[in-house]
Amino acid sequence: MTELIDRWRTAARNAGAPDGPALIRAGEELLARWREPHRRYHTVRHLTAVLDVVDAYAELADRPELVRLAAWCHDAVYDPRAAGEANERDSAALAGTLLTTLGLPAAAVAGVRRLVLLTAGHATTAGDRDGALLCDADLAILAAPRQEYDAYAAAIRAEYAHVPEPDFRAGRARVLTALLALPALYRLPPLAARWTDPARANLTRELATLT
């Protein structure tokens, strides 16, 4: 995990945080959250996948260092039993507290909080290149090959093992329907061109199994 901590430190320093032991401890605290035993999909593997997409397309963002920090924080609080957008709100609040304590400028902290909140509905405004990159990276799994997508869907079901099957099917169907109803699943042209069709095919296929 040393490489991941180094990636965290670099992003935080580029956003204005002073380096030092506190910065390392903060990264370790976040990784501990991503390793919580109840997680099946929202794990360090998902964090790494999001960071990899952000790194690969960083030139398409205005403040890629803020997008990286938002990637670290966007599912830092993840409780499958939480209602509505509570996880996203709590993750944004955690980001605000953590990054402020580390000494990031207030504007950078506000920018990260805003980005984290966008992952609740993955709806961005025109011209929001940072939000577009984070949301596209977060939804990259939807365009995965069939076997990988099915493993993702199974992991989501495992995270919601406490929910009875009929209720899970109805709730999951609402999530998939909302994703399919977005004006665009992916906003950045290179990603939209590559990922839109396979993502829609995966979502439509899973939705058919639920309904």
Side-chain angles (χ1 to χ4, degrees), residues 38-39 42 78-83 87 156 158-163:
H38 65 272
R39 296 173 183 246
H42 295 88
Y78 185 72
D79 177 4
R81 297 176 184 269
N87 284 325
I156 293 295
E159 288 182 338
Y160 286 86
H162 60 282
V163 178

Side-chain angles (χ1 to χ4, degrees), residues 8-31:
W8 157 259
R9 291 172 63 194
T10 299
R13 289 199 308 265
N14 288 343
D19 201 359
L23 193 58
I24 297 173
R25 287 195 299 271
E28 292 171 342
E29 174 189 333
L30 288 171
L31 279 181

